[in-house]
Amino acid sequence: MRAVRIHRDQDLRIEEVPTPEPGPGQVRIRPTHVGICGSDLHYFSDGAAGIFRIVEPLIPGHEMSGTIDLDPSGRYAPGTPVTVHPATWGPVSQGSRPTWPGGTFLGSASTSPHTQGAMSEFLVVTADQVRPLPADLPLRRAALVEPLAVGLHAIAVAGGVRGRSVLVAGSGPIGLLAAAGALAAGASEVWCTDVRSGPLTRARALGVTEAVDVARAELPESRFEVVLECTGIPQTLNSLLRACARGGTLVQVGNVPNEDRPVNLAPMVSKEIQLRGTFRYDDEIDGAIAMLAANPSIEKVITHELPLESVLEAFAVAADSDASGKVLVRIS
């Protein structure tokens, strides 16, 4: 089969590799669409995502949709449209399942050997990772299930948004999907921020209340009951704490550098703001499937779809955050 493999920084190739065979309790899938995530971009540009460095060829991709190719158990018929939950869980521990140590994640160098991802003609996963898709959810749109689940988990960590004012900092793909999730979940208003015109234009197309260029305008003080930080830039916390309402909740969604940074915490104390962290998601992926089926307009987050043969171009487009939202690689 053909697969995209990253060997090291700036070294991405389409190669022939053995087609995987499903073992007991496993299912083989034909991916049709695979989204390019920020971690995929880092693996390509830097040879590492955070502390996880590539030490063997890695097939990227954990945002996917496709069809069943082979299920030895007979539970799923060939051609059944599906997506997958990219995580397997480690031993039971304290906290939510996404934080348990010892699990795996598709397209990740966090394990040795690496957990190969979905950017290939065939993918084998465990049967409990498979999520069948409703008939009214096209495979193209279904490639957004995984990143939308990130936004929905952040909303859950915030305690929900129905009837509440929401600020989403950063209008990249995760920020846009968090905003779309908040709108669909009944927020009273949703504002988005960025410093680039492209992301702000895409936020407006989703129907947000306001899209603010924070390089040119300040946010209203103490306005928002829920703030979702989706930039991964620690310096934004100071302005977001000012914008957060008294008794509000600020959720850190973006993956920030593991380093010391000065933050003015005085507003958090004087306004009794709850600062919470969020990591991936659990069963929110099922809610994301239902939300995408019910809200076709969320597909506007997808700006580019390129064939597997143009994967290098797809990565270049995805790296241009002003020009692109979510970029998909079409496998078949």
Side-chain angles (χ1 to χ4, degrees):
M1 70 172 185
R2 293 182 303 166
V4 174
R5 297 211 297 175
I6 303 174
H7 289 252
R8 61 187 65 84
D9 56 299
Q10 302 297 325
D11 185 359
L12 180 151
R13 315 172 197 172
I14 300 174
E15 300 179 313
E16 286 288 337
V17 299
T19 299
E21 294 294 331
Q26 293 183 321
V27 172
R28 189 167 67 198
I29 296 169
R30 286 182 179 267
T32 58
H33 299 81
V34 179
I36 297 177
C37 177
S39 61
D40 302 322
L41 291 173
H42 281 295
Y43 280 130
F44 173 56
S45 64
D46 308 327
I51 63 173
F52 304 123
R53 180 160 293 278
I54 292 176
V55 297
E56 62 185 87
L58 174 69
I59 301 173
H62 53 264
E63 307 172 1
M64 64 82 62
S65 57
T67 59
I68 295 292
D69 178 66
L70 176 62
D71 178 4
S73 74
R75 178 181 178 185
Y76 297 112
T80 301
V82 297
T83 186
V84 301
H85 196 307
T88 64
W89 311 113
V92 175
S93 184
Q94 291 183 326
S96 65
R97 286 202 300 181
T99 67
W100 293 354
T104 65
F105 202 78
L106 290 182
S108 173
S110 63
T111 55
S112 183
H114 297 339
T115 303
Q116 301 300 328
M119 207 169 285
S120 59
E121 292 182 312
F122 294 95
L123 170 70
V124 167
V125 296
T126 61
D128 60 0
Q129 290 178 270
V130 175
R131 298 294 190 277
L133 298 175
D136 56 349
L137 179 54
L139 288 170
R140 183 177 190 268
R141 196 189 316 154
L144 295 174
V145 165
E146 193 276 345
L148 177 58
V150 172
L152 296 186
H153 183 58
I155 289 170
V157 168
V161 296
R162 181 166 296 279
R164 304 171 79 187
S165 54
V166 177
L167 172 65
V168 179
S171 298
I174 292 296
L176 291 175
L177 288 165
L183 287 168
S188 61
E189 60 176 344
V190 178
W191 290 38
C192 284
T193 74
D194 212 285
V195 295
R196 300 156 299 175
S197 61
L200 291 170
T201 297
R202 289 186 280 276
R204 294 185 186 100
L206 284 175
V208 301
T209 311
E210 296 283 348
V212 181
D213 182 346
V214 288
R216 298 173 178 270
E218 289 190 359
L219 292 166
E221 187 171 349
S222 301
R223 169 70 176 267
F224 303 99
E225 296 163 278
V226 174
V227 178
L228 305 178
E229 200 297 306
C230 298
T231 71
I233 302 173
Q235 297 93 314
T236 65
L237 282 179
N238 290 319
S239 62
L240 297 182
L241 286 168
R242 288 195 299 271
C244 192
R246 296 180 182 276
T249 302
L250 194 160
V251 181
Q252 183 62 45
V253 186
N255 195 9
V256 294
N258 185 21
E259 58 192 26
D260 294 338
R261 289 278 185 168
V263 177
N264 178 14
L265 296 178
M268 189 176 79
V269 175
S270 62
K271 294 194 287 186
E272 289 196 347
I273 295 169
Q274 297 291 308
L275 178 59
R276 301 175 182 176
T278 181
F279 185 66
R280 295 177 181 164
Y281 45 84
D282 192 346
D283 56 6
E284 289 89 357
I285 197 165
D286 301 312
I289 291 172
M291 185 174 286
L292 283 166
N295 296 272
S297 64
I298 298 178
E299 192 170 335
K300 293 176 183 177
V301 173
I302 301 171
T303 58
H304 296 78
E305 179 183 328
L306 288 90
L308 178 64
E309 294 77 13
S310 301
V311 66
L312 279 170
E313 181 185 351
F315 269 72
V317 171
D320 186 344
S321 55
D322 193 29
S324 68
K326 177 55 64 181
V327 176
L328 303 184
V329 176
R330 187 175 66 255
I331 308 298
S332 60

